[in-house]
Amino acid sequence: MQRLIDKMVNDHSFLVGVSVAIPTWVLSDTPTIDHAVMIGILILVFVLDWLTGTTLARQSPVKNRTSHAGIDALMRDFIIVVICACSIFLDFVFETESFIFAFFTGAFIWQNFYSFLGNIAALGWSKYFPMWLFNLVQDEMVAKLHKYFPHGKGDKK
């Protein structure tokens, strides 16, 4: 969990979480359709990240990736959705309208979208997307390239 929190601090997902907390539905005391939409966006970003991450792992010469990594990622994503759902109850208990929910859900959406963009860039698909997005994820792209291609992208050792 500490690694997850450190990553959220490094990629500024906490700031995105705070900025998502600005819309007016955040002032709602009860769950609204906006809560469901935010959870839906989170799940969609999980799927995009999983698809691009799987593609990147298949292209990698590093063959020690097993089904355990996929199962662990699925478990992690499930726990994240549960955390976001529980934050609705925290909002109720602390009477913070929907601020806690918006904060956590926005931060997790950004963190996984950041990973998705890093996967896209590491795959070399950046030519299909706006280049300014990839200036935001340069460090994530480098980390993914080192993880999946430790000897360089063209080296198949």
Side-chain angles (χ1 to χ4, degrees):
M1 199 63 172
Q2 181 63 39
R3 189 175 60 119
L4 182 67
I5 291 170
D6 291 341
K7 186 173 181 181
M8 291 175 82
V9 168
N10 290 336
D11 66 14
H12 308 295
S13 21
F14 280 118
L15 294 175
V16 174
V18 169
S19 67
V20 170
I22 295 172
T24 56
W25 65 268
V26 172
L27 301 177
S28 173
D29 301 20
T30 59
T32 65
I33 190 70
D34 296 316
H35 290 81
V37 169
M38 290 286 288
I39 293 289
I41 291 169
L42 178 64
I43 291 170
L44 179 63
V45 171
F46 283 155
V47 169
L48 292 172
D49 187 34
W50 179 80
L51 288 172
T52 56
T54 302
T55 303
L56 186 59
R58 284 189 185 133
Q59 291 181 2
S60 173
V62 179
K63 296 299 179 195
N64 63 354
R65 308 285 180 235
T66 65
S67 62
H68 297 293
I71 292 169
D72 290 346
L74 184 62
M75 222 25 178
R76 179 204 65 215
D77 294 346
F78 174 75
I79 290 170
I80 289 172
V81 170
V82 169
I83 288 170
C84 292
C86 287
S87 66
I88 293 172
F89 299 113
L90 289 173
D91 281 324
F92 175 75
V93 169
F94 294 118
E95 297 177 358
T96 55
E97 280 98 20
S98 295
F99 182 78
I100 296 172
F101 171 80
F103 177 79
F104 277 105
T105 307
F108 284 125
I109 287 171
W110 175 253
Q111 176 185 1
N112 287 282
F113 187 69
Y114 191 78
S115 176
F116 163 70
L117 289 177
N119 290 339
I120 292 283
L123 285 166
W125 296 351
S126 56
K127 61 187 170 213
Y128 303 113
F129 296 89
M131 289 308 296
W132 61 269
L133 284 174
F134 297 99
N135 292 332
L136 297 172
V137 296
Q138 189 70 26
D139 58 332
E140 182 73 10
M141 180 184 70
V142 170
K144 294 216 182 255
L145 285 173
H146 286 304
K147 177 180 177 182
Y148 290 103
F149 302 99
H151 304 291
K153 185 132 177 156
D155 191 6
K156 297 289 183 189
K157 287 184 182 178

